[in-house]
Amino acid sequence: TRKESSAASDVYKRQTLASLPENYTGQVSGTVIIEANNNIEETVTVERELAPGQLTITVMDQNDQAVSGAQVQLNEDQTETTYAEGQVVFDELAEGTYEYVINELPENYEHNIASQSVYIAEGATEARTLQVQYNAQPGTVIFNVTDQDNSPVEGAVISINDTTITTNEEGTATISDIEPNTYTYSITELPEGYIGNASGEVTVNESEITTAAISVEREIELSTADIKVVDQNGDAVEGASLAFGGLTGTTNSEGIAHFESLEPGRYNY
């Protein structure tokens, strides 16, 4: 504002703004009429440039993992998509209240978040976080149960994740639609003639098939063998010493050497 007085006749004077503070713009010159014997007030209007605000929105899942590819809308005219860090940045915002909402999420994500509001003061920077739900895709585990000869074992019962499954004639048992995680499994029942209490851990990965090998022992039925030694006349030979498959024996009065606890197989004597 400029004030001047004069006792003379009206005087026209031109005024000029030499400079303005930073962030101000407006009228820089004009004319003032100075009337005789009067005080004059002149108002010069300038404009202050308003500092823009900024809003950062971060989208995370329930495991605090950033969600890339989420589409976020601000008011009705701005839409951005989250990048690797799960963030979108809206800048050059005028002071005011804004509405933001998630428009779209990548596959296997969902949310039930209503539109949110945020007030952006002049030059302010605001940040908000939205949490969504990630639905992990299940995996599959295939167990292969074999004996000491690598032969499949049918009828083995396996317990995993509060579920029991039984091997088929190929010695395999499958559990599907199981959430990704690390699980403990154990053999709870074996068919007759097999022994073992195998247990372990298996890690199920999302949308993948995982295999686990389990080995048990087939019980072997032991046998006996009698080796008889005779002469050319068919008479029994007593006291003959025999080596039989790593064992040794001596014939009795009937010419027989008796061997016990023999596993099935081929023996040389």
Side-chain angles (χ1 to χ4, degrees):
T1 300
R2 177 173 175 170
K3 297 181 179 181
E4 291 192 12
S5 63
S6 174
S9 59
D10 294 351
V11 178
Y12 291 84
K13 290 192 175 182
R14 184 174 183 80
Q15 62 178 6
T16 301
L17 288 176
S19 64
L20 286 172
E22 186 178 0
N23 299 326
Y24 284 85
T25 60
Q27 181 182 352
V28 296
S29 65
T31 301
V32 177
I33 300 174
I34 306 299
E35 298 175 349
N37 196 28
N38 197 5
N39 291 325
I40 301 300
E41 289 189 358
E42 177 76 6
T43 300
V44 178
T45 301
V46 296
E47 183 176 347
R48 180 171 58 86
E49 297 177 356
L50 300 179
Q54 184 181 84
L55 173 62
T56 299
I57 297 176
T58 304
V59 181
M60 309 288 286
D61 68 15
Q62 71 273 25
N63 301 312
D64 290 331
Q65 298 298 308
V67 179
S68 175
Q71 189 180 91
V72 181
Q73 179 176 318
L74 186 68
N75 286 351
E76 296 181 354
D77 57 350
Q78 296 189 61
T79 301
E80 297 289 345
T81 301
T82 58
Y83 46 88
E85 287 75 15
Q87 293 184 333
V88 292
V89 178
F90 298 96
D91 50 21
E92 299 298 323
L93 300 178
E95 180 177 2
T97 299
Y98 293 83
E99 299 288 330
Y100 60 93
V101 67
I102 294 177
N103 270 351
E104 187 176 326
L105 285 170
E107 187 178 3
N108 302 325
Y109 288 88
E110 63 181 9
H111 79 95
N112 57 358
I113 307 171
S115 177
Q116 309 280 312
S117 63
V118 58
Y119 177 76
I120 305 295
E122 181 190 350
T125 298
E126 297 287 344
R128 297 292 185 271
T129 298
L130 298 174
Q131 186 180 86
V132 299
Q133 178 75 27
Y134 176 66
N135 300 317
Q137 298 305 292
T140 298
V141 181
I142 299 177
F143 291 96
N144 296 305
V145 182
T146 57
D147 63 15
Q148 65 268 41
D149 296 324
N150 205 33
S151 298
V153 178
E154 180 181 3
V157 179
I158 303 167
S159 175
I160 178 174
N161 194 32
D162 298 325
T163 302
T164 56
I165 51 179
T166 304
T167 56
N168 57 21
E169 61 182 5
E170 297 178 347
T172 64
T174 301
I175 179 170
S176 302
D177 296 328
I178 185 169
E179 291 186 4
N181 207 337
T182 297
Y183 297 91
T184 298
Y185 66 84
S186 62
I187 292 283
T188 58
E189 186 179 339
L190 285 170
E192 186 177 356
Y194 291 88
I195 57 175
N197 57 354
S199 63
E201 289 187 343
V202 60
T203 297
V204 180
N205 297 315
E206 185 175 358
S207 302
E208 292 185 4
I209 297 175
T210 303
T211 59
I214 302 176
S215 181
V216 297
E217 185 175 349
R218 176 173 48 85
E219 294 181 306
I220 298 174
E221 296 182 2
L222 301 180
S223 302
T224 63
D226 290 330
I227 307 298
K228 185 174 183 179
V229 181
V230 297
D231 63 15
Q232 69 272 27
N233 298 318
D235 296 327
V237 177
E238 182 179 2
S241 180
L242 291 177
F244 182 75
L247 303 174
T248 58
T250 303
T251 57
N252 57 20
S253 59
E254 297 177 348
I256 296 174
H258 182 73
F259 300 92
E260 296 183 345
S261 301
L262 302 175
E263 294 184 2
R266 182 185 297 275
Y267 291 81
N268 295 319
Y269 61 88

